[in-house]
Amino acid sequence: MHHRTEARQHKPAKPLSTNTLEAGAHRHDARPDTLAKRVLSQFLKNKLAVFGAVILLLVISAAILAPFIAPHDPSKINLLQRLAAPSLEFPLGTDIYGRDIFSRILYGAQISLLVGFASMAGAVMIGTIVGALAGYYGGKTDAFLMRVVDVLVSFPNIFLLITIISIFRPGVDKLIFVFALFSWMTTARLVRGEFLSLKKREYVLAAKTVGMSDWRIIFSEMLPNAIGPIIVTATLGVGHIIIAESALSFLGLGVQPPTPSWGNMLHDAQGYSVMRTAWWVPFFPGLMIFVTVLCFNFVGDGLRDAFDPNMK
Amino acid sequence: MIGYILQRSLMAVPILIGISILTFAMMHLAPGGPTALLVDPTISPEAREAFLERYGLNDPLPVQYFKWAGAAIQGDLGYSLIYTGTPVSEMIFSRLPNTLLLMSVSFLLALFISIPLGIQAARKPYSLTDYSMTFFSFVGVATPNFWLGILLIMWLSVHLGWFPTGGVATIDAPLNIWDRIHHLILPAFVLATADMAGLTRYVRSSMLDVLKQDYMRTARAKGFREITVIYKHGLKNGLIPIITLCGFMLPSFFAGSVIVEQVFSWPGIGHLFIQAVFQRDYPVIMGITMMTACLVVLGNLLADICYALVDPRIEY
């Protein structure tokens, strides 16, 4: 993800001073904009990001409303309808067991999104605490915590991940736990960076002077100022986890059948006869992963620009 | 320079120790330890005891760890529990060339595609080329490589018959270099796509910096052709940061190869790993995990050394 930050440095950003002047001159209402309002208006200017957000909202509502939208029972096996082509009855066709792919995709969305959001919530929590401690205390704490991060980052986690999952037998709860455990490093590095610069601000000194506890300074004074970048990494992270979850489920190590997930639907699509005759079996579940992850990236990128005070 | 290399190598040691403890601990964290997963519940208690004794599974954990780690340093990773009597190192080394071949070819492929693309985008920033490249790198990052692999097999192999559906070579055919290349093209391409996207963006931003430099203007003023200026004077400098990135990309290449090898039935260590996981062959799982860790650490070390060699401004 570093490349985006780097690439963006080269965009011709207007100097800050003229910017503030302009903003001041054009402002008619007396009340200054809140952060949320400013970010939102900036975000709405980015067409790709808005497009991504709309699609994501659609996917999320489809997942929530799956029981009402789905035309068929997602796990109902109907051997008479094996590998039926997309039709009015089966909008996206059926798989090798004659199950309706459209219904399975809707229910699969529940699992993929649940794993994505829940794991990222856990990862953000761990990452924020580790990063905040490292950045705020500095010194040996910082050095130790960052070495741990280095070790975890420099290793292909998929091996550890698969090992853990295979030991404890796969399940949605374990997936969430394991992904949270291996996805917090980016957030930790980022929060640490933010805290390193934030702790030199005057309000932190002021808070220390009035005798506020470290814990309160970290969480109620400094953290709200680092919320922008955290939201951005979290958004991009959900996309990463959805891909990772579907990869594991594809390998047969993630969400276990008969529970549908986008990844394990692709696992069943590998047979020669399926590939020969039924392109819709591998095509649609993968398309859902692709579109969802793409939209998470669009939204994340849009949020990054929206939170950036230099971009107006 | 030698001091720098030594210092870098020493830094790798705690990483390897950390990973080995982590891997070892995880295998023993399993409810009942590895024995619960491995010993057939139907065998007699005596046979079970004998089994535990033979594999040293009755020793205290730290003893087991040091035994294992001590042997591992000497290249002895133990024996497979499924294919009894086959040394793990032998299993790994018979598969490793396939994985290294796949990874290096797809790495070169990624470089050969993304460097010209990145340069083109850097030469005309904010042009249509630049924006479409940015868009494609979004697409590349969001495409699950197993899906891409399945679609390509379905379309190019099954329907059009242009490529084999998997494996490293035609079974029972004499060694034939074209046959090998034929089998390599699709998996190498699929493995390359994910990292291509990130690489292109790095090349772009690195070259954007370089193109602004005075020596580029000097080179142009000397009357060199634009191609010479960009690729000879510019690229040399633009590639320096890319070397470090290549080291960073290694873990994701290994992760990608696990999945790509599975999709294309490519008999490499990723394929072996998944097979071992399903069979709960834990010496193999640990061996591969450690092996990959060493390779990744070694790769990063090489990248650091290359970086220092290429850029004389770096002091060690």
Side-chain angles (χ1 to χ4, degrees), chain A residues 57-135:
Chain A
L57 281 181
L58 271 176
V59 173
I60 294 171
S61 6
I64 296 172
L65 298 174
F68 306 105
I69 307 174
H72 298 272
D73 176 352
S75 23
K76 189 171 163 260
I77 291 174
N78 182 351
L79 293 179
L80 291 176
Q81 295 284 357
R82 290 180 80 236
L83 300 178
S87 61
L88 276 180
E89 197 192 350
F90 303 105
L92 303 180
T94 63
D95 67 5
I96 38 170
Y97 301 109
R99 297 174 296 197
D100 178 40
I101 291 183
F102 180 60
S103 308
R104 288 181 69 74
I105 282 182
L106 288 176
Y107 279 92
Q110 291 183 339
I111 303 285
S112 292
L113 292 172
L114 172 73
V115 172
F117 280 116
S119 318
M120 207 54 224
V124 163
M125 225 141 58
I126 305 174
T128 305
I129 293 174
V130 171
L133 293 178

Side-chain angles (χ1 to χ4, degrees), chain A residues 184-252:
Chain A
W184 54 270
M185 288 84 75
T186 326
T187 320
R189 279 187 171 164
L190 188 113
V191 172
R192 170 185 174 265
E194 291 288 317
F195 267 60
L196 279 179
S197 74
L198 285 177
K199 75 174 175 188
K200 296 192 194 102
R201 300 278 177 85
E202 276 156 3
Y203 70 89
V204 177
L205 185 66
K208 274 185 187 159
T209 320
V210 298
M212 217 181 250
S213 70
D214 284 354
W215 204 246
R216 263 192 75 192
I217 296 178
I218 290 176
F219 287 99
S220 54
E221 297 292 317
M222 291 169 80
L223 198 55
N225 290 294
I227 207 75
I230 295 178
I231 292 177
V232 173
T233 25
T235 313
L236 296 170
V238 174
H240 285 297
I241 292 176
I242 288 179
I243 283 211
E245 177 270 318
S246 58
L248 284 185
S249 301
F250 163 73
L251 292 174

Side-chain angles (χ1 to χ4, degrees), chain A residues 2-4 6 10-11 154-156 159 164 166-167 169 246-247 251 266 275-276 279 282-283 286-287 290, chain B residues 19 26 30 126 138 142-143 146-147 150 154 158-159 201-202 205 209 251 262 273 277-278 280 289 292-293 296:
Chain A
H2 312 284
H3 50 276
R4 283 199 197 128
E6 265 181 40
H10 302 286
K11 286 189 188 169
S154 68
F155 187 72
F159 290 94
I164 296 190
S166 66
I167 290 171
R169 301 188 191 268
S246 58
L251 292 174
L266 282 167
M275 288 189 173
R276 181 87 249 175
W279 58 270
F283 184 72
L287 187 69
F290 169 68
Chain B
I19 289 171
M26 273 184 337
Y126 312 109
F138 266 116
T143 311
F146 50 96
W147 184 52
I150 292 176
M154 184 168 78
V158 174
H159 282 279
R201 298 183 78 146
Y202 269 111
S205 72
D209 274 341
Q262 206 63 20
F273 181 72
V277 163
F278 277 113
R280 301 181 181 272
T289 310
T292 341
V296 167

Side-chain angles (χ1 to χ4, degrees), chain A residues 1-4 6-12 48 147 150-170 182 236 240 243 246-248 250-253 262-263 266-267 269-270 272 274-280 282-291 293-295 297-298 301, chain B residues 11 14-15 18-19 22-23 26-31 37 126 131 135 137-147 149-151 153-154 157-159 165 197-198 201-202 204-206 208-209 212 250-252 254-259 262-263 269-270 273-274 277-278 280 285 288-290 292-294 296-297 300:
Chain A
M1 284 305 110
H2 312 284
H3 50 276
R4 283 199 197 128
E6 265 181 40
R8 211 196 45 231
Q9 285 169 356
H10 302 286
K11 286 189 188 169
L48 270 185
R147 284 302 83 71
D150 287 345
V151 171
L152 287 174
V153 166
S154 68
F155 187 72
N157 287 329
I158 191 165
F159 290 94
L160 294 179
L161 223 119
I162 290 179
T163 312
I164 296 190
I165 287 176
S166 66
I167 290 171
F168 295 104
R169 301 188 191 268
F182 285 108
L236 296 170
H240 285 297
I243 283 211
S246 58
L248 284 185
F250 163 73
L251 292 174
L253 292 162
W262 295 338
L266 282 167
H267 180 78
Q270 278 179 290
Y272 188 84
V274 173
M275 288 189 173
R276 181 87 249 175
T277 54
W279 58 270
W280 52 90
F283 184 72
F284 291 114
L287 187 69
M288 281 309 292
I289 305 172
F290 169 68
V291 168
V293 175
L294 190 66
C295 290
N297 287 346
F298 283 158
D301 221 50
Chain B
M11 275 171 69
I15 295 186
I19 289 171
L22 210 61
T23 321
M26 273 184 337
M27 299 306 312
H28 292 268
L29 265 178
L37 307 172
Y126 312 109
Y131 281 122
F135 186 78
S137 66
F138 266 116
V139 169
V141 170
T143 311
N145 50 13
F146 50 96
W147 184 52
I150 292 176
L151 290 187
I153 291 177
M154 184 168 78
S157 307
V158 174
H159 282 279
T165 51
R201 298 183 78 146
Y202 269 111
R204 174 187 178 276
S205 72
S206 169
L208 266 177
D209 274 341
K212 281 186 294 204
L250 258 183
S252 83
F254 268 107
S257 74
V258 173
I259 290 157
Q262 206 63 20
V263 174
I269 49 173
F273 181 72
I274 297 297
V277 163
F278 277 113
R280 301 181 181 272
I285 298 177
I288 293 178
T289 310
M290 274 325 289
T292 341
C294 292
V296 167
V297 167
N300 278 319

Side-chain angles (χ1 to χ4, degrees), chain B residues 51-174:
Chain B
F51 177 90
L52 294 181
E53 208 45 60
R54 186 155 66 113
Y55 286 97
L57 293 169
N58 276 338
D59 296 336
L61 276 189
V63 175
Q64 284 191 44
Y65 171 74
F66 282 112
K67 267 190 184 171
W68 175 74
I73 289 171
Q74 296 162 31
D76 174 13
L77 293 167
Y79 294 88
S80 163
L81 292 169
I82 304 294
Y83 305 99
T84 357
T86 317
V88 172
S89 49
E90 199 183 298
M91 289 172 84
I92 293 179
F93 280 108
S94 70
R95 309 289 192 101
L96 195 59
N98 287 334
T99 298
L100 292 182
L101 175 73
L102 175 65
M103 280 175 57
S104 45
V105 168
S106 89
F107 183 66
L108 289 179
L109 200 64
L111 284 180
F112 275 116
I113 297 177
S114 55
I115 289 177
L117 278 181
I119 290 178
Q120 216 45 43
R123 283 177 68 185
K124 293 178 182 139
Y126 312 109
S127 63
L128 186 66
T129 328
D130 190 18
Y131 281 122
S132 41
M133 201 209 72
T134 310
F135 186 78
F136 276 111
S137 66
F138 266 116
V139 169
V141 170
T143 311
N145 50 13
F146 50 96
W147 184 52
L148 182 66
I150 292 176
L151 290 187
L152 288 178
I153 291 177
M154 184 168 78
W155 180 40
L156 298 178
S157 307
V158 174
H159 282 279
L160 296 173
W162 290 357
F163 294 98
T165 51
V168 271
T170 311
I171 299 164
D172 293 337

